[in-house]
Amino acid sequence: MFRRRTALSFTAAAVLAATPLLTSCGTPHAGAAAVVGGQRITVTAVQAKVDAVRAAQEKSPQAAQLIQASSDLQRNTVHSLVQARVVDQAAKNAGVSVTPREVQQARAAAEKQAGGRANLEAQVLQTYAMVPADIDESIRTDLTMQKVAKYYGADLQTAAGQAVVVKVLQQTSDKLGVDVNPRYGTWNTKKLTLDAATDPWLKTVTTA
């Protein structure tokens, strides 16, 4: 099972990476990066997250390397936001939830293992292009996935358990319906990735 080097051991990460959470259902609503279950993830919200990460990276001595390593930041941001909503819906369906106290306890444990808050924040920025303001939400999503898995009797430490949760997320995303704005890419059901955006409306012009 995938584990964060920073001790943010988001045990759901391997499951999420293997789940086609984005199912193209047509043209997204105007101004939306994606629409999940009729609820918009706005372009503005995505850009705000991207800008926050870039601002933090630019303050780092390794700014150039960090920015280059996260060249797909916009697409990855949309992907993670959609995943979080699908996980939340799966939790609602299962009747489970995560309390703020549980998030605080997990955050404290992560900071302790990382050697302090500053170290944790630096590590997640470097490794996962994540700013401090998003750490708690990522922890919440992970804890939520763990509770969903427990509800279905699935052990996320095993392939069989992961397969159970993958199926749950597939069914959840299918029922929700997800539209993704083409500017952020196309969902590839074979590779289970949000592939790079293309611009088919732009024609190559050649001259004699």
Side-chain angles (χ1 to χ4, degrees):
M1 175 59 67
F2 176 84
R3 287 189 179 275
R4 299 258 183 185
R5 298 178 189 173
T6 60
L8 288 177
S9 82
F10 301 163
T11 56
V15 175
L16 293 176
T19 306
L21 295 181
L22 307 182
T23 304
S24 180
C25 302
T27 303
H29 299 176
V35 180
V36 184
Q39 300 298 313
R40 290 152 46 97
I41 296 173
T42 67
V43 171
T44 300
V46 170
Q47 193 58 49
K49 286 185 173 293
V50 170
D51 290 345
V53 171
R54 290 296 186 229
Q57 290 174 331
E58 288 171 359
K59 294 178 181 178
S60 170
Q62 295 82 37
Q65 297 94 319
L66 294 179
I67 292 172
Q68 182 178 8
S70 57
S71 59
D72 292 336
L73 184 58
Q74 283 194 331
R75 186 166 80 254
N76 290 339
T77 298
V78 174
H79 193 194
S80 65
L81 288 171
V82 171
Q83 286 181 332
R85 291 200 180 187
V86 173
V87 171
D88 283 348
Q89 184 60 50
K92 289 179 181 178
N93 294 345
V96 299
S97 62
V98 173
T99 67
R101 180 173 177 79
E102 288 173 321
V103 173
Q104 291 172 1
Q105 290 174 335
R107 173 69 177 264
E111 289 179 354
K112 182 177 180 180
Q113 187 170 341
R117 179 174 180 175
N119 285 344
L120 176 65
E121 293 176 354
Q123 289 171 11
V124 297
L125 176 64
Q126 180 176 355
T127 308
Y128 302 104
M130 184 188 299
V131 294
D134 291 335
I135 293 176
D136 283 1
E137 184 60 23
S138 293
I139 291 174
R140 189 189 66 80
T141 297
D142 180 60
L143 294 177
T144 300
M145 176 59 71
Q146 293 178 39
K147 289 195 174 186
V148 170
K150 184 177 180 179
Y151 175 82
Y152 288 100
D155 182 356
L156 289 176
Q157 301 296 327
T158 68
Q162 291 177 24
V164 170
V165 177
V166 165
K167 185 175 181 179
V168 169
L169 295 179
Q170 288 173 334
Q171 293 173 341
T172 302
S173 60
D174 284 342
K175 290 181 180 179
L176 276 176
V178 178
D179 287 333
V180 179
N181 189 319
R183 70 181 284 189
Y184 297 103
T186 303
W187 184 248
N188 185 319
T189 56
K190 183 177 181 180
K191 296 181 179 179
L192 307 180
T193 57
L194 185 57
D195 291 342
T198 58
D199 297 305
W201 57 89
L202 297 178
K203 304 298 182 180
T204 301
V205 178
T206 58
T207 58

